[in-house]
């Protein structure tokens, strides 16, 4: 299964309420520790996109009860992104894709962020 999502950076907000909707504390630090507001917004858009892409790859729609916080974006020491799953997302991965993992890739630039998630 594959999922892809693209997000307009201009739709993002650095208001705490907005960030809290989709990010845990580590993800917030990843977003906010950058030097410019523009890069913070791009990272936030990437975070949104990767979570949406994972939901699509797992075939989880709004009716499934999945939450943005069921998917956590992490990075290896090399910077390579990966996701950890919790709640509804983990349960779906365990039931429907037992023994597999999710590979993710994300990219951002001034106006857009994009992410791809593939169950392999």
């Amino acid at each position: 299964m594959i999922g892809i999502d693209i997000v307009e950076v201009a739709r993002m907000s650095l208001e705490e309420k907005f960030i809290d909707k989709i990010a845990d504390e580590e993800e917030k630090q990843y977003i906010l520790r950058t030097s410019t507001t523009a890069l913070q917004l791009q990272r936030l858009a990437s975070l949104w996109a990767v979570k949406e892409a994972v939901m699509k790859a797992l075939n989880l729609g709004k009716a499934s009860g999945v939450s943005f916080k069921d998917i956590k974006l992490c990075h290896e020491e090399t910077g390579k992104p990966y996701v950890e799953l919790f709640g509804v997302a983990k349960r779906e991965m365990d039931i429907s894709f037992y023994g597999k993992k999710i590979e993710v890739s994300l990219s951002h630039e001034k106006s857009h962020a994009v992410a791809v998630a593939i169950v392999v």
Side-chain angles (χ1 to χ4, degrees), residues 3-109:
I4 187 169
D5 197 63
I6 186 168
V7 176
E8 287 182 90
V9 173
R11 295 184 63 207
M12 298 292 105
S13 168
L14 293 176
E15 291 180 20
E16 189 171 347
K17 183 178 178 181
F18 184 79
I19 295 172
D20 285 343
K21 177 181 176 180
I22 63 169
D24 73 5
E25 194 57 40
E26 289 178 38
E27 291 169 323
K28 285 184 216 177
Q29 293 307 312
Y30 169 74
I31 293 162
L32 299 175
R33 73 172 171 244
T34 60
S35 58
T36 67
T37 300
L39 187 53
Q40 290 172 348
L41 289 167
Q42 289 171 25
R43 284 189 171 185
L44 184 58
S46 294
L47 180 66
W48 184 289
V50 77
K51 291 181 180 213
E52 286 281 346
V54 169
M55 289 179 200
K56 291 172 183 176
L58 294 176
N59 199 29
L60 293 172
K62 291 180 183 180
S64 71
V66 69
S67 159
F68 280 116
K69 292 189 177 180
D70 286 346
I71 302 158
K72 180 177 181 173
L73 176 63
C74 305
H75 295 85
E76 295 178 359
E77 286 184 25
T78 62
K80 179 183 177 189
Y82 67 96
V83 291
E84 292 180 357
L85 303 178
F86 304 94
V88 173
K90 181 168 180 14
R91 188 168 45 251
E92 184 62 26
M93 184 69 175
D94 291 345
I95 292 169
S96 297
F97 303 100
Y98 180 78
K100 295 189 177 187
K101 64 179 185 170
I102 297 178
E103 293 284 344
V104 296
S105 181
L106 46 118
S107 186
H108 55 79
E109 51 94 38

